[in-house]
Amino acid sequence: MKFAHLADVHLGFEQYRLPYRAEEFARAFREVIERAVEEKVDFILIAGDLFHSSRPSPETLKGAIETLEIPKARGIPVFAIEGNHDRTQRRVSAYHLLESLGLLNLVGIREERVESEYLTSERLGNKYLVKGVFEKGGRSVEIHGLKYMSAAWLEKNRLSDIFKPEGNAILMLHQGIKELIERMMGLIPESQRDYFELKMEDLPRGYLYYALGHIHRRFETNYDVGKLVYPGSLQRWDFGDYEIRYRWDGRTFKPKAGIEKGFYIVENWKPKFIELKVRPFIDIKIEADEETVKREVKRLASKIPGEAFVRLDIKWERPFDVSAIRELLDVKYLYVRTRFERKLRTVKGGEVPRPNEYFSPIELRAIEMTGEKKLENVDAVVELFLGGWKEEVTKPEEKPPEEEKRNEKRKEKTPDLDAKPEEKTEKKSPRTKPGKGSNLLAWLGGGK
């Protein structure tokens, strides 16, 4: 028996508000379906999040229908479950529409009994557990599944009480499993339940294949008597889901390859990953001064393809203009993230300097004002910098008291007879407003 396993298609997702990205997600789905048909699979599994939303647009639905017509025309059934992005609390979802058109078979807990060529039902309390069934050459396999459920629901409803396989069977779930996510991404605190809903001990045993979705990174392992597989998303999801990552080590950029995107073909219960060529996402991070950043990014630019999406993360002690750096990377999409943080330098003995040794009087006053619980006059803080900084820079040198007294005496002895009576006029200094793009951090750092 041979089948295709995919998940997290996210049709209709205009990533970064770019409509052409939704088109690329749709093309990836069509490519997978066409390749599955070329491989002559017996059936196809979609383990959740076929759509990016529970209310896909008419255009998105039209594209899904056209693509799913391909396996239907060749008599290849498609079995699916709803994911966290496209599940609905209503009785009817986009999946029910596709099912009514004969394009897929929705498995899981349902309100009504369903009996068809590829679906059968059994009573489960006041609802029905709808299962997929496929037979070929005297052999049969059952496809069990459940749409995405919250951690709270899964704590009250044990999966092992719902799913009890007999014979050859597949279980489809769209959930995060704590131990597997930790193996992929590192330890997760128990308090961070948003990242997972299940633990390995919660999985029912006895299945030959666990077709999972929800985690966008591909992963496979063994569980009980079967294989457990996350195929990952078809397209790159964000810059954490990079094709390649570059990290500056002080001398050069160190590259690290990411995880490939694609789906699985499973034959005789042995999964084989099929890679898709998708738009590359490249993540660059550097902590250096302006001159170094410009020089090294320019060197790196030759290694980055023009169709790439790039995130450039720059960190340094003092702010600088990054507009020239943007011009060094001629790519499809560029996101520059800057973090300018002035470091505290320790004095002798390893002690941190006192505030008045590190900050100027103006900076100390600004810290005091902005630290108040109720800051009502933001303009006062701006005026402090615009007016106070200027005063601090242009203030003339003070003369010694003795010299001032001598000058005053000279003025008293030699009055100016031609002088007109002094008129008292109050000169108002023009109120300077910060221009567009003004940066308090630049003032704090002394400007550059």
Side-chain angles (χ1 to χ4, degrees):
M1 206 162 283
K2 188 177 184 180
F3 60 91
H5 170 204
L6 59 142
D8 298 285
V9 182
H10 290 280
L11 294 176
F13 183 28
E14 294 186 355
Q15 193 178 38
Y16 305 122
R17 299 181 181 177
L18 300 171
Y20 67 82
R21 281 298 285 157
E23 295 170 10
E24 291 176 357
F25 276 75
R27 283 201 297 270
F29 178 50
R30 188 178 185 91
E31 181 183 348
V32 168
I33 295 300
E34 288 175 344
R35 292 181 70 171
V37 169
E38 288 172 7
E39 288 276 347
K40 298 180 179 178
V41 298
D42 297 310
F43 56 88
I44 297 170
L45 305 179
I46 303 176
D49 281 351
L50 172 60
F51 299 104
H52 187 62
S53 163
S54 62
R55 296 183 177 184
S57 69
E59 182 181 4
T60 300
L61 276 171
K62 179 175 178 291
I65 290 169
E66 290 172 353
T67 297
L68 290 170
E69 285 283 1
I70 298 170
K72 180 186 177 183
R74 290 158 179 79
I76 301 172
V78 176
F79 300 93
I81 57 172
E82 297 175 16
N84 59 309
H85 277 262
D86 56 13
R87 71 171 181 160
T88 178
Q89 301 303 324
R90 302 180 295 278
R91 286 178 63 91
V92 178
S93 70
Y95 286 83
H96 291 89
L97 170 64
L98 297 176
E99 185 177 59
S100 68
L101 296 172
L103 299 174
L104 60 73
N105 303 277
L106 184 62
V107 301
I109 298 173
R110 298 174 64 167
E111 300 286 339
E112 69 287 341
R113 175 184 290 275
V114 182
E115 298 291 340
S116 67
E117 182 182 1
Y118 296 112
L119 292 176
T120 188
S121 305
E122 67 179 51
R123 195 80 182 179
L124 187 68
N126 61 348
K127 297 185 180 182
Y128 292 91
L129 180 63
V130 178
K131 303 180 289 186
V133 179
F134 183 82
E135 296 182 1
K136 181 183 178 182
R139 294 184 300 166
S140 67
V141 60
E142 285 193 347
I143 297 104
H144 301 176
L146 181 71
K147 70 179 180 180
Y148 171 85
M149 289 297 189
S150 67
W153 190 92
L154 291 165
E155 285 176 3
K156 294 177 183 177
N157 302 272
R158 288 168 52 87
L159 292 181
S160 55
D161 292 337
I162 299 171
F163 299 108
K164 298 172 182 179
E166 295 177 5
N168 294 341
I170 297 168
L171 178 62
M172 271 202 295
L173 297 173
H174 191 88
Q175 309 288 165
I177 300 172
K178 184 176 188 287
E179 294 87 344
L180 301 186
I181 298 175
E182 287 181 337
R183 283 173 63 180
M184 288 183 259
M185 305 175 187
L187 291 176
I188 303 171
E190 188 67 29
S191 57
Q192 304 254 342
R193 286 306 301 268
D194 289 347
Y195 290 93
F196 64 94
E197 301 82 31
L198 293 171
K199 294 182 179 179
M200 289 294 285
E201 63 191 34
D202 300 323
L203 287 177
R205 297 179 178 274
Y207 288 94
L208 295 180
Y209 190 84
Y210 296 80
L212 302 186
H214 190 42
I215 304 304
H216 290 184
R217 182 180 298 188
R218 78 177 182 93
F219 182 85
E220 56 184 275
T221 188
N222 297 314
Y223 180 72
D224 193 38
V225 295
K227 289 284 185 181
L228 186 153
V229 175
Y230 281 106
S233 57
L234 299 187
Q235 286 277 350
R236 298 201 177 277
W237 185 248
D238 55 25
F239 288 102
D241 188 14
Y242 53 84
E243 179 175 301
I244 189 164
R245 185 182 76 183
Y246 291 99
R247 291 292 182 265
W248 177 251
D249 68 357
R251 291 184 300 174
T252 186
F253 277 113
K254 295 287 186 182
K256 180 182 178 183
I259 305 297
E260 306 92 341
K261 310 308 289 183
F263 69 108
Y264 279 85
I265 295 291
V266 184
E267 188 169 10
N268 296 326
W269 310 108
K270 294 178 181 178
K272 180 180 72 173
F273 183 71
I274 307 297
E275 184 178 358
L276 295 180
K277 292 298 180 185
V278 298
R279 186 177 294 282
F281 274 46
I282 297 174
D283 189 34
I284 306 168
K285 189 172 184 179
I286 181 169
E287 183 173 352
D289 59 37
E290 182 176 5
E291 183 182 348
T292 303
V293 172
K294 285 182 178 178
R295 183 184 69 244
E296 297 304 327
V297 169
K298 186 176 182 180
R299 287 179 181 172
L300 187 63
S302 62
K303 299 179 181 179
I304 299 174
E307 71 271 17
F309 275 31
V310 177
R311 179 174 69 181
L312 175 59
D313 194 314
I314 301 170
K315 184 178 179 183
W316 191 238
E317 298 175 19
R318 291 180 178 273
F320 55 82
D321 185 9
V322 298
S323 58
I325 297 168
R326 288 178 175 275
E327 297 173 6
L328 298 175
L329 292 168
D330 184 16
V331 293
K332 184 71 173 178
Y333 177 90
L334 175 61
Y335 168 48
V336 178
R337 183 169 65 180
T338 56
R339 289 179 293 168
F340 298 118
E341 302 169 356
R342 189 160 59 171
K343 294 179 180 178
L344 283 175
R345 290 178 173 81
T346 56
V347 296
K348 287 183 180 179
E351 297 178 1
V352 174
R354 290 188 292 273
N356 61 349
E357 295 175 348
Y358 188 73
F359 296 105
S360 71
I362 291 175
E363 292 173 336
L364 287 170
R365 177 59 184 148
I367 292 168
E368 182 184 343
M369 291 171 71
T370 54
E372 293 171 2
K373 288 185 179 178
K374 194 173 182 182
L375 178 61
E376 295 179 348
N377 192 358
V378 177
D379 287 343
V381 180
V382 176
E383 289 288 350
L384 177 66
F385 282 97
L386 294 178
W389 194 278
K390 185 178 179 182
E391 181 185 333
E392 188 176 83
V393 172
T394 61
K395 190 174 180 182
E397 270 188 56
E398 292 185 6
K399 295 180 180 179
E402 296 80 6
E403 190 176 337
E404 283 186 9
K405 287 178 183 178
R406 285 196 295 271
N407 289 340
E408 284 174 11
K409 285 178 181 179
R410 286 195 201 103
K411 287 177 184 177
E412 288 173 7
K413 289 177 183 177
T414 57
D416 186 0
L417 298 175
D418 297 325
K420 292 181 181 178
E422 230 179 82
E423 291 182 10
K424 287 189 178 180
T425 58
E426 186 178 348
K427 287 187 179 180
K428 292 185 179 180
S429 59
R431 181 165 179 168
T432 312
K433 296 253 181 180
K436 192 173 182 182
S438 295
N439 193 331
L440 282 177
L441 190 56
W443 297 326
L444 281 170
K448 212 175 183 185

